[in-house]
Amino acid sequence: MTHWAILRQVVLGVADIEVAAKELREELGLGQGFEDPMLADIGLADHTVRVGPVAHLELVAPLHDDVSIAHWLAKGGPGGYCLSIQVSDVDERIAAAERLGIRLVADLPVDGHRVAQLHPADMGLLVELDGIADPDVWFWDAIEVPEPEAPQVVDVLAVEVSSPDPRAQAERWSALFDVPLEVVDGTTQLRLGSRTVRFVAGERKTFTAVDLAAAPGVAPRAVRLSGVEVRVR
């Protein structure tokens, strides 16, 4: 059986979630978001906003000074924190991570699905593997929120992951997800479903940019939000 992996959710780490959420909605014409009720139990405030019918932008912030994201923010400020990737074969992807020496920082059931988080030092940022075997199903499908009146963006197209050695980082991702690498305009990248992960040089291990699909009639532009370059294309 053919396996697949889909980039589903792009997560930004911020200090003030209300300010960041307001800025996100106003700059991109997004609708009202919702909260993941489980995250408060581990010291995180959360706000998730739909981008079109299937993708999401999520904001997370510390509720206490002793949670890991508080230390992460203190080192580098707000920015790209995590990517949630839906996989058809989560047990095999976790086994592949172990073979590659990629450490797990969490492995637990969530709503009946196995979810694992991979160490940011090994992956370039926190990566979540979500074991939902149906590509037409996601955690938030049952949550109803009002449609935005004038959305400027309708999907997530790509993210850029930075590290001091982008080629080595790309090869690790390729081996983990068992997907081929491509080189486009000199940049190494791979596809996760309809979305692209590009690997670029940078001192800080994180994702530094996200490309969003423009709604019809919306002109391309770029804006910096919560430490990440957001490109509307």
Side-chain angles (χ1 to χ4, degrees):
M1 182 176 66
T2 303
H3 71 270
W4 46 262
I6 302 171
L7 175 57
R8 275 288 204 158
Q9 200 148 305
V10 175
V11 185
L12 308 179
V14 301
D16 188 321
I17 206 154
E18 292 186 5
V19 170
K22 183 175 184 290
E23 183 181 46
L24 193 73
R25 289 194 301 268
E26 291 179 351
E27 286 284 352
L28 302 175
L30 296 172
Q32 182 61 42
F34 52 89
E35 282 67 49
D36 180 345
M38 294 183 63
L39 293 187
D41 293 339
I42 58 172
L44 293 179
D46 162 81
H47 190 83
T48 299
V49 183
R50 284 202 178 100
V51 183
V54 296
H56 296 80
L57 293 176
E58 182 179 10
L59 302 170
V60 292
L63 290 172
H64 315 292
D65 291 339
D66 58 351
V67 293
S68 60
I69 191 173
H71 304 303
W72 180 85
L73 286 165
K75 288 181 180 179
Y81 186 66
C82 177
L83 297 176
S84 296
I85 300 170
Q86 182 181 3
V87 294
S88 58
D89 51 353
V90 65
D91 295 342
E92 175 52 34
R93 292 311 107 209
I94 292 172
E98 292 172 346
R99 290 194 299 271
L100 292 165
I102 299 170
R103 292 164 287 178
L104 272 65
V105 294
D107 185 359
L108 68 163
V110 178
D111 293 338
H113 306 286
R114 188 180 183 188
V115 172
Q117 291 184 334
L118 307 180
H119 202 295
D122 299 333
M123 294 296 293
L125 74 165
L126 187 66
V127 171
E128 182 174 283
L129 304 178
D130 296 283
I132 303 176
D134 184 344
D136 295 323
V137 173
W138 186 239
F139 287 118
W140 316 127
D141 291 345
I143 295 179
E144 296 184 6
V145 291
E147 294 287 336
E149 293 182 4
Q152 297 186 33
V153 293
V154 293
D155 202 355
V156 174
L157 298 175
V159 294
E160 288 187 358
V161 174
S162 69
S163 71
D165 191 342
R167 180 68 191 189
Q169 201 71 70
E171 289 174 351
R172 175 167 286 190
W173 281 58
S174 176
L176 172 65
F177 291 107
D178 193 20
V179 294
L181 293 176
E182 309 167 335
V183 178
V184 177
D185 297 329
T187 299
T188 304
Q189 63 183 42
L190 53 76
R191 301 279 289 177
L192 295 177
S194 63
R195 302 179 181 98
T196 300
V197 180
R198 304 189 195 102
F199 299 87
V200 299
E203 293 183 5
R204 188 184 186 191
K205 288 186 174 183
T206 183
F207 75 82
T208 53
V210 56
D211 293 352
L212 303 177
V218 174
R221 65 187 179 94
V223 62
R224 194 161 186 84
L225 298 174
S226 299
V228 172
E229 183 178 4
V230 178
R231 304 165 184 152
V232 179
R233 298 185 181 276

